[in-house]
Amino acid sequence: MLRMAGLVQDLDGGERMKLRIGIVGMGGIGNNHARVYKELPDTEVVAVCDIIKERADKAAAAYGAKGFYSVQEMLGSGIRLDACSMCTAGVENGGDHYRPTMELLEAGLPVLGEKPISNEVDKAVEMVDLAKKKGVAYGINLNHRFTPAAVRAKEWVTSGRLGQLHMINMRMWINNSKESSPWFHLRALHPHSIDVMRYFCGDVKSVCAFLSKGKGRTIWSNAQVLMQFENGIIGNLTGSYDAGGSFGLECCDVSGSEGRFVIEDACERLFFHSRRSIEVERYDYVGGMRSFSETFKSRISVWVRQLVERVPPDKIDASGEEALRAQRVIEAAIRSFQTRSVVDL
Ligand SMILES: NC(=O)c1ccc[n+]([C@@H]2O[C@H](COP(=O)([O-])OP(=O)(O)OC[C@H]3O[C@@H](n4cnc5c(N)ncnc54)[C@H](O)[C@@H]3O)[C@@H](O)[C@H]2O)c1
């Protein structure tokens, strides 16, 4: 497929330039992004950036890219970039995204940000607004929905196989012993679970949350969040940072007037239960996807394809706007818990 450095062959035989990618934040996740871009035929990693010099230098050597120690330095160098990944972390795993993302968007560059879009809704709003103002694509790595199992289940929903949707029960839990802010668990983990819930059921209207602290913990590490969606679907999110072991990662259970699907562990098992029959359909590893770790490639592939196809910014899958909506649900859950009330969005 590849003809010469920087070029990729189109299906019609023509050649076009590969997308020149910059990655900001070279921790574990930035390196994940870099490995994916290296594997994809349409992209090359030309710049890596970290305020920790050794991380930038190490990544530059590993990916054959130029290393930078700040976004301003990268932008000021005149290096040509077509898009960037934002893989910083910070407070509640999202506090550092804002400033460098604003700098990239201001420079007119499409950004694929890590989740949470921000731990502060006001800052998320600013980033989404700036991307709109600039007319550039802004996506978030809400990778849990980018599995062949979720895509197949979504087709069932869209084609009416489940009938009218009634309920969704979503569970996502991992072991994370980090003692951060009281809301770390909700803000850092549940952009993912709420995005999956929104993917199948649409916008959330009302939220009611109960939280608890696991044994020995100072943060609200367990959550039960009741939700009502705009279209009348009712649902529940079970979340925890006190899981691990053999608990598994997640389970999404959606039922309707004609049937029900269950996705276990994002991509590993998909079940269809008909309401009219005792036969159960079971699909293991749909599309050959074996584990959650592969979702980085599937999500980034969609982002790259949409950039190559010049999909309009408001049609980007798992956009900044969608991530912002998920983050608003999280803030509503926090408010609900604090005020012991149902909160409308
Ligand atoms: N999508 C997923 O499945 C998934 C899974 C885990 C983590 N994450 C997210 O990925 C992000 C990164 O996680 P991580 O574990 O790699 O974090 P990390 O702390 O190991 O790495 C972040 C890096 O960003 C650098 N950095 C901070 N501010 C910077 C700036 N202004 N310019 C350049 N570099 C800067 C830091 O020096 C650090 O090296 C987090 O937002 C986290 O929530 C996503």
Side-chain angles (χ1 to χ4, degrees):
M1 178 168 234
L2 177 64
R3 289 301 153 98
M4 55 183 274
L7 285 177
V8 66
Q9 195 175 23
D10 268 332
L11 286 177
D12 63 9
E15 281 178 337
R16 64 188 149 76
M17 297 299 286
K18 291 182 172 206
L19 294 182
R20 293 167 60 83
I21 303 292
I23 304 172
V24 181
M26 298 312 299
I29 299 299
N31 280 281
N32 269 357
H33 283 233
R35 282 189 290 271
V36 169
Y37 287 121
K38 287 289 279 184
E39 274 181 40
L40 294 179
D42 280 312
T43 49
E44 57 183 333
V45 179
V46 296
V48 290
C49 174
D50 202 296
I51 50 176
I52 300 174
K53 187 176 180 299
E54 303 75 60
R55 287 191 173 185
D57 291 347
K58 189 172 168 202
Y63 309 115
K66 184 145 176 43
F68 297 96
Y69 311 131
S70 75
V71 168
Q72 296 98 308
E73 185 203 358
M74 182 171 80
L75 294 174
S77 74
I79 191 167
R80 193 171 70 71
L81 294 167
D82 295 311
C84 287
S85 271
M86 178 55 58
C87 301
T88 49
V91 176
E92 294 168 332
N93 279 3
D96 287 345
H97 298 333
Y98 170 75
R99 199 172 44 77
T101 300
M102 292 293 278
E103 288 166 353
L104 294 175
L105 293 172
E106 192 57 58
L109 286 168
V111 176
L112 176 65
E114 264 303 341
K115 63 80 221 172
I117 176 172
S118 173
N119 57 327
E120 294 172 81
V121 163
D122 291 353
K123 291 194 167 146
V125 170
E126 277 189 56
M127 291 186 279
V128 169
D129 285 351
L130 181 57
K132 267 188 209 156
K133 187 175 136 206
K134 289 282 182 179
V136 293
Y138 182 27
I140 300 295
N141 185 22
L142 297 166
N143 40 336
H144 288 242
R145 70 153 98 154
F146 289 87
T147 71
V151 169
R152 187 174 297 178
K154 177 79 172 178
E155 284 164 7
W156 292 342
V157 169
T158 310
S159 67
R161 199 169 185 217
L162 272 75
Q164 179 189 317
L165 296 194
H166 293 159
M167 294 195 286
I168 179 164
N169 284 294
M170 179 80 203
R171 185 177 67 226
M172 188 174 289
W173 49 14
I174 59 173
N175 184 32
N176 188 339
S177 56
K178 197 166 151 194
E179 290 294 312
S180 174
S181 88
W183 318 114
F184 175 50
H185 160 232
L186 280 176
R187 288 187 179 142
L189 181 64
H190 293 296
H192 283 312
S193 47
I194 293 168
D195 178 66
V196 171
M197 296 175 85
R198 291 189 67 262
Y199 179 59
F200 291 119
C201 300
D203 278 330
V204 176
K205 186 177 169 198
S206 304
V207 174
C208 175
F210 294 98
L211 310 177
S212 77
K213 293 179 180 176
K215 186 174 176 216
R217 301 211 64 160
T218 61
I219 72 167
W220 299 107
S221 51
N222 296 288
Q224 293 285 351
V225 185
L226 265 179
M227 292 179 209
Q228 184 181 36
F229 292 76
E230 292 283 357
N231 48 24
I233 299 169
I234 51 177
N236 184 66
L237 168 64
T238 296
S240 181
Y241 266 174
D242 298 323
S246 63
F247 285 21
L249 172 65
E250 66 189 78
C251 181
C252 178
D253 181 334
V254 178
S255 56
S257 56
E258 300 302 319
R260 165 183 174 226
F261 74 74
V262 180
I263 304 174
E264 288 179 355
D265 293 332
C267 58
E268 296 186 21
R269 283 166 301 284
L270 170 66
F271 300 89
F272 180 79
H273 302 260
S274 167
R275 203 168 154 206
R276 320 279 166 207
S277 151
I278 59 167
E279 270 185 12
V280 178
E281 292 173 28
R282 174 183 168 138
Y283 304 90
D284 291 337
Y285 310 112
V286 180
M289 187 183 276
R290 279 171 182 272
S291 78
F292 167 72
S293 58
E294 293 169 48
T295 59
F296 282 85
K297 186 167 184 186
S298 56
R299 196 282 171 263
I300 293 173
S301 301
V302 171
W303 166 249
V304 168
R305 179 171 47 73
Q306 293 193 315
L307 291 181
V308 168
E309 292 173 358
R310 296 181 193 279
V311 167
D314 63 341
K315 297 282 184 299
I316 291 289
D317 284 337
S319 63
E321 172 82 46
E322 288 187 90
L324 169 60
R325 286 177 192 224
Q327 220 63 27
R328 286 193 193 282
V329 176
I330 291 169
E331 294 311 310
I334 293 171
R335 227 164 35 252
S336 161
F337 175 68
Q338 287 173 320
T339 57
R340 289 190 71 78
S341 62
V342 175
V343 172
D344 291 326
L345 274 101

